[in-house]
Amino acid sequence: TTFTPASACAQTAHPTPAMADLPSPPTRPLERQPVRYGNTAQLRLHTPALEDAAEVLQTALRANFETAEVVIADCPDLTQAPFNLAAPGICGTPVLADIGGVPNLTPNVKRNKVYNFKQIGKLVGVPGAFILGAGAGSSRLVGVNSELMPNTNLATGNILTTYGRIDKDGEPLVQHYESNEFAILMNVLASKGEPGKVLKVTASKRTGEKNFTNCMRQALAAAYGDKPVGVGGAFVIKKGKAKIHIMPDFSETPLETDEQVAKWLKFYNFPSPLTCLTTFVSHDPGLALRVEHTHCFSEHGAGGHYHDDTTPDEVEYEGYFILAERLCRVDQPGKEKE
């Protein structure tokens, strides 16, 4: 399958049906409880002091890794290797967005669920956003189902997004994706892409059972309870290997159980270095959130959905994270008629 560049897609002027009726964000101040307008909801997240969050995360990581450190630092220039992001930082009005969801994929795919990052940027109140995260590519562009690693700067037009798919020979293929269109489900951090103070997290030699992001998310959940804390950012697996999956094309038969989904997915043990784009939320306040989602890409053709590292004795992580101020739930499955 040949990937169609964004410029060619623009000429065909495809509608984006899932986004057509989304209302504008509310102008009133957001509360800690979700404020719903149409099929979109927003809420103000709990934002503990960075010093407090750093202590919580470091304590948890040191119980799961041989060495770990969490410090407040100036965000480095993330446009440089090994991060290779489309903006230098992740600061400036950070917002998490959870769009669509797994019910758009299973048991049967809903092909009409097509979205665009430009519309999402406006919807979350950051129209020129730098967007990173994890989700699904548009089959209208790729030709098949795919994993998407969004890495796009709406202000500059710099699209460094990649996608992973299974080729006609059954082999994984990770390539550049030249569009802001996506489909089905997506979890992103949207910000102004500016430098600023962030949480620098390093960890190596995993001794526990939790993966890198799961350890941090569970720590925040234990510390802050039903006060949802949202985190977004990027990290690099500098050493070792990781368990990654890539979705094949849409299933011809309904995927009714977790076992059927696991059998359908294609799993790989990819080598480092891997650049990972992640969002996670400590508590779901009744919005059917995907509370943790991480995708990765590389310069050596590896990428997809991150599960965990497979070489705990040698793994090494380094990441930069920001606490999101707000969360926007867009087109929640099952809420279409509300």
Side-chain angles (χ1 to χ4, degrees):
T1 302
T2 302
F3 175 69
T4 305
S7 56
C9 298
Q11 294 172 6
T12 60
H14 289 299
T16 51
M19 295 295 296
D21 299 322
L22 292 177
S24 299
T27 55
R28 62 184 181 278
L30 292 175
E31 301 298 331
R32 297 243 183 245
Q33 295 300 315
V35 176
R36 185 172 293 279
Y37 47 105
N39 189 27
T40 299
Q42 287 203 41
L43 76 155
R44 186 160 50 94
L45 293 167
H46 178 58
T47 51
L50 285 180
E51 293 83 359
D52 295 339
E55 183 177 353
V56 167
L57 295 177
Q58 181 170 276
T59 299
L61 287 165
R62 286 183 174 177
N64 201 63
F65 291 86
E66 186 174 292
T67 61
E69 185 177 40
V70 182
V71 298
I72 301 170
D74 291 317
C75 189
D77 184 355
L78 297 177
T79 65
Q80 301 300 306
F83 288 92
N84 300 311
L85 300 188
I90 53 174
C91 300
T93 321
V95 185
L96 295 186
D98 187 323
I99 305 109
V102 172
N104 291 338
L105 179 65
T106 64
N108 299 294
V109 63
K110 297 179 181 177
R111 295 178 184 268
N112 67 316
K113 296 299 184 179
V114 180
Y115 313 87
N116 192 289
F117 287 124
K118 291 184 178 180
Q119 292 163 304
I120 296 300
K122 293 178 182 178
L123 190 66
V124 302
V126 193
F130 164 50
I131 293 176
L132 64 80
S138 172
S139 63
R140 303 193 307 182
L141 307 186
V142 178
V144 294
N145 189 25
S146 64
E147 307 285 345
L148 198 66
M149 290 65 88
N151 180 12
T152 182
N153 190 326
L154 301 180
T156 64
N158 189 20
I159 302 175
L160 299 181
T161 299
T162 51
Y163 75 104
R165 64 177 175 89
I166 305 300
D167 69 15
K168 62 182 185 334
D169 297 318
E171 297 298 320
L173 184 65
V174 177
Q175 295 178 308
H176 182 220
Y177 184 95
E178 304 174 24
S179 176
N180 282 313
E181 181 174 298
F182 64 97
I184 298 174
L185 58 89
M186 183 63 62
N187 296 91
V188 296
L189 167 70
S191 73
K192 294 181 179 179
E194 299 172 344
K197 296 296 183 181
V198 295
L199 292 172
K200 177 184 179 180
V201 181
T202 56
S204 61
K205 294 187 178 181
R206 180 169 56 82
T207 56
E209 296 299 318
K210 300 172 185 176
N211 72 26
F212 185 55
T213 53
N214 190 246
C215 181
M216 292 191 284
R217 184 185 65 79
Q218 289 190 13
L220 294 172
Y224 300 109
D226 61 1
K227 298 177 181 179
V229 178
V231 179
F235 64 92
V236 172
I237 303 176
K238 301 169 71 174
K239 295 181 180 179
K241 296 182 178 181
K243 179 181 179 180
I244 306 292
H245 84 235
I246 296 178
M247 295 184 292
D249 202 4
F250 302 119
S251 177
E252 295 181 357
T253 58
L255 298 171
E256 302 280 1
T257 67
D258 290 343
E259 291 75 15
Q260 289 174 335
V261 172
K263 187 176 180 180
W264 168 70
L265 293 171
K266 303 296 183 183
F267 290 90
Y268 302 93
N269 192 31
F270 282 140
S272 57
L274 296 165
T275 301
C276 302
L277 311 174
T278 189
T279 67
F280 50 93
V281 182
S282 66
H283 170 73
D284 180 359
L287 293 175
L289 300 176
R290 188 164 192 165
V291 294
E292 190 176 323
H293 203 179
T294 304
H295 281 189
C296 63
F297 65 94
S298 69
E299 295 185 335
H300 54 271
H305 177 106
Y306 162 84
H307 285 263
D308 51 37
D309 58 80
T310 59
T311 53
D313 290 340
E314 60 180 298
V315 72
E316 186 174 325
Y317 293 94
E318 179 180 330
Y320 298 89
F321 303 91
I322 190 75
L323 302 184
E325 298 170 357
R326 295 178 289 121
L327 183 143
C328 185
R329 185 65 171 104
V330 181
D331 202 30
Q332 179 181 335
K335 298 286 187 179
E336 288 88 346
K337 296 181 180 180
E338 292 190 6

